[in-house]
Amino acid sequence: MLGIAGSAGNIMQGIGGFVFGSENSASSEDSYVERFLDRISNGVLADDRRAAMAELQSLVAESSSAQMAFGAMGFPILLNVIKEERDDVEMVRGALETLVSALTPIETLHASKNAVQPASLNSDMLSREAESISLLLSLLSEDDFYVRYYTLQLLTALVTHFPKRLQEAILSIPRGITRLMDMLMDREVIRNEALLLLTYLTREAEEIQKIVVFEGAFEKIFSIIKEEGGSDGGVVVQDCLELLNNLIRNNASNQILLKETIGFDPLVSILKLRRGSAYNFTQQKTVNLLNALETVESLLIGGPAGDPGKDANRLSNQTALAQKKILDHLLLLGVESQWASVAVRCLALRCIGNLVARNPQNLDALASKQVGEEPHVEPALNAIFRVLIRTSVLQEFVAAGYVFKCFCEKNSDGQALLASTVTSDASLSSHATLDVGVSMPFGSMLLQVLISTEANEDFEACSRAASVLSHILMDNVQCKERVLRIELETPVPTLGPKEPLLHRIVKHLALSTSARNTKDDNPAISTGESYTEQLILKLLITWLADCPSAVNCLLDSPPYLTYLLELVSNANSTIWVRGLAAIVLGECVVFNKSGQNGRDAFAIVDAISQKIGLTSYFLKFDELKKNFTSLSTSSHQRKPITRSNTASMAETEDVIENEEKTEDGHPILVEIFDSQFVNFLCKLEGDIRERVVDIFSRTKDKVTVLPAELEQRDGEIDEEYIKRLRSFVEKQCSEMQALLSRNAALAEELVRTGGGSGSDSSQKPGGSSSRERVQSEALRQDLQEAALRIEKLKSEKLKIETEATNYRNVATKLEADLKSLSDAYNSLEQANLQLEAEAKALRKGEKAPYPDIDAIREEAREEAQKESEAELNDLLVCLGQEQSKVEKLSTRLKELGEDVDALLEGIGDDAGLPEEDDDEE
């Protein structure tokens, strides 16, 4: 470790000089740190070593340069003190406190934001040593209070800088998490530090979460919360709830364990408010309530997306929480308690929506629930609607709208209940004010807001009411038909009869567009971007879907069709407005069952083609889909509430302001274009394109003009007249079929291209445009064929090159085998020569007769030569075959433009055959 620290010392000193100035500016701190460390490691007197430790701690806690210098050389020394001098409690305590100071960031006035923090570098070095983490965890069993306290602080400092690394290290240590859980039963200060450490360790760490729950975390958490005073407690309650949220967020098994062990009573008790305690909403209590509501929301979601048991767990949690009367507490927080912060009210409303979503019992409970105190009692849905209309915070409007969305989703009875209260009343007037009383029925309140817009020009309130009405009408034809029959008095009765509610809403849409254009022309009165038109257009899209009578009602007034055509082509409107208006026009085509001339689907398509151009019209769909993608990527989940993101909050409303200031994912747009509505629009777009192609592929049933050729001429006999009629009809049929085929082909091409050429192309003459399209299509096909041929040639080239490489490898191997065979032959020749020499020497030394060595040698040579020639012949045959393959491949490579000589260059240079030595001694 000393070697590692020595090498890292030079690096960190260099970094320190770069970040904090020259090395000379920090040389004094470096020398002091080095001197203190020398006294600690080499000192003889215990008091002197302890004094040096205290002075080192003080210097490191105050100086960034000292932190940098300590990181370069101090870790091995202090860790050795902790390891070897466990009996000297004061030295161990001082070493731990010094390490905590070295890992604690020091704020400097002149430090840049991108400057390297010495505390972060020190944490990096210490967390990389697994033995160091194990050593620190072992200190938790020490009796000294400060040793345990500083150890927990040191581990917390490490996990804040490198959470993943410390999580893995503690998991690898036997009973590491168990030791930390034991600290929750220690003295209060130790318990609080251990609690804070566990909140960091359990973030996105499923294995640690399982161990913590197994060690009885739920019981300990709620015991501490009760001891600290529930929601009125301090930051310790916040840490407990944050730890609880880490354990159950997207974790269905832990949620089931919580429900089956201690139940939901302790959680619901945290949300209880006493009436009359409205003034006690301190900032810390608000944070505690937000954490508790986040816990409720996690339980009501049921688990991570894609979990097969998510729905069953969600229904079980909804039922269990409803049995604990949590709806009363949520209504008190979200609707009745005006002293609660906006953040609390919004989250409480979202919890109400999640509580009743797709749960029949809870939906009935909300429909019949009353809020308020006598004599001012009203239905809960009326109160939530009033919040939706009156709030000045967009997030609160979105949250209240979320309640109605969850209430109406797959709840036809609830939709019918709300729609039944929407009736025209003589007391309702467009000149009335927006004051909705407590005694008003829900439908009367809704209509009052919708029709009172003209008097006060409050189009935002109208759009909010329209968003609620869209939830009531979603996927419910009976409700659409019922509301469609509502007729309202015109502002001036003498000008005409009553007008349908649908016409009044389209009229308000037009007035809203006019008001927006006025603000755009006069920036001095602009009040920011408005989303009124998008909300009203969403209502129209919902209302017209699968409702031909609504389409027919809309087309009863020709000016509204003209307005929609202008809105689609209005350059001042946003992409959202133009796209949604194009969808409304498409619904007038798809769901049009009218047979009247000028109002049928043919007439609508003709109007679109003439006023907008089909190319430009379909381009609006493509632009809308692109914005769907950007909106889905920009929208983000709400961040969990932690110490880090609440410590700097002046007020809890900052959470709402931060969510409203996202660059792309405006909360209203995210609410309008939820996944369900986006999927509906995508399906509807396909139906519109298909319907347009179908209209272009056939003609109208009526024949308006009778050609003169059909009349019988004077003096013409019947047979000639019949023949002429037959030829005329055949000619007309052939021309009609050709025209229909051409129209169908053009429409299909237009649908495929999606309007890529812009709106100008629709204004060109038909013949020129057709010729250009034909030429463009021919060129495109030629280009595709050429690209396919190129890809095919590339694949063939790659295949041939691979085969050539394989053959070269085979040839090289055969040449190597031939070389080894030649070497073996030469070695045999050398052995024969050696034996011959030995035989000659023996003959000279003795007179006894010896065998004829020359004959033996000649016989052996002939046998070896025969074997060698046979193998050589085989090799030559193989080489001949490979040579022919190489020649064929070379020819093919030349055809493809490859340099064959360059590819074969250098092959066989190092594997040549050695010359055979046939000389004999």
Side-chain angles (χ1 to χ4, degrees), residues 257-273:
L257 190 60
L258 171 63
K259 179 175 56 181
E260 293 179 351
T261 53
I262 65 174
F264 295 151
D265 285 315
L267 175 62
V268 175
S269 64
I270 299 174
L271 299 174
K272 288 183 179 179
L273 293 180

Side-chain angles (χ1 to χ4, degrees), residues 51-200:
M53 184 71 77
E55 293 174 354
L56 176 63
Q57 187 276 328
S58 178
L59 179 63
V60 171
E62 298 175 356
S63 171
S64 298
S65 300
Q67 283 186 342
M68 186 70 71
F70 174 81
M73 50 188 151
F75 282 115
I77 297 174
L78 294 195
L79 290 175
N80 188 65
V81 170
I82 296 173
K83 185 176 181 181
E84 301 296 337
E85 303 181 35
R86 297 284 282 270
D87 295 335
D88 193 341
V89 176
E90 189 171 348
M91 281 295 291
V92 173
R93 183 190 302 171
L96 289 171
E97 189 175 4
T98 304
L99 289 174
V100 171
S101 300
L103 269 58
T104 303
I106 298 176
E107 296 183 0
T108 56
L109 297 177
H110 303 290
S112 63
K113 294 182 179 179
N114 298 326
V116 179
Q117 291 292 336
S120 179
L121 292 174
N122 293 341
S123 300
D124 185 21
M125 292 185 62
L126 184 58
S127 62
R128 290 182 183 274
E129 297 291 338
E131 296 179 358
S132 302
I133 307 301
S134 178
L135 176 63
L136 294 175
L137 284 177
S138 66
L139 294 176
L140 295 177
S141 59
E142 294 292 325
D143 295 332
D144 185 73
F145 168 81
Y146 287 101
V147 169
R148 302 196 305 278
Y149 177 71
Y150 290 134
T151 299
L152 290 171
Q153 281 194 328
L154 185 58
L155 291 172
T156 303
L158 287 173
V159 77
T160 54
H161 288 99
F162 300 97
K164 295 295 183 184
R165 191 181 299 170
L166 199 69
Q167 288 169 351
E168 294 173 358
I170 293 180
L171 272 177
S172 64
I173 299 172
R175 299 190 73 252
I177 300 296
T178 304
R179 294 179 186 178
L180 294 177
M181 290 297 297
D182 292 340
M183 294 296 100
L184 293 180
M185 308 306 294
D186 208 320
R187 296 165 61 178
E188 183 176 345
V189 177
I190 300 291
R191 179 202 69 187
N192 296 344
E193 286 295 327
L195 189 61
L196 180 60
L197 175 59
L198 286 170
T199 59
Y200 285 105

Side-chain angles (χ1 to χ4, degrees), residues 275 327-328 331-332 335-336 364-383 438:
R275 295 186 183 273
L327 181 59
D328 296 336
L331 287 170
L332 184 60
V335 180
E336 299 183 69
D364 294 340
L366 178 61
S368 59
K369 180 64 65 176
Q370 301 282 326
V371 297
E373 296 179 344
E374 294 292 347
H376 305 292
V377 178
E378 64 174 332
L381 289 174
N382 290 27
V438 175

Side-chain angles (χ1 to χ4, degrees), residues 8-21 23 68 115-118 121:
N10 297 329
I11 298 175
M12 295 191 66
Q13 286 177 355
I15 295 175
F18 173 75
V19 177
F20 300 102
E23 292 186 7
M68 186 70 71
V116 179
Q117 291 292 336
L121 292 174

Side-chain angles (χ1 to χ4, degrees), residues 37 309 470 523:
L37 290 173
S470 66

Side-chain angles (χ1 to χ4, degrees), residues 59 139 308 389 457 535 582 779:
L59 179 63
L139 294 176
I389 295 299
E457 295 186 356
L535 291 171
L779 291 175

Side-chain angles (χ1 to χ4, degrees), residues 719-734:
E719 292 181 0
E720 293 179 356
Y721 177 57
I722 292 173
K723 290 181 179 178
R724 186 167 57 83
L725 286 180
R726 181 177 297 174
S727 62
F728 176 78
V729 171
E730 290 176 354
K731 179 181 177 181
Q732 291 293 320
C733 287
S734 61

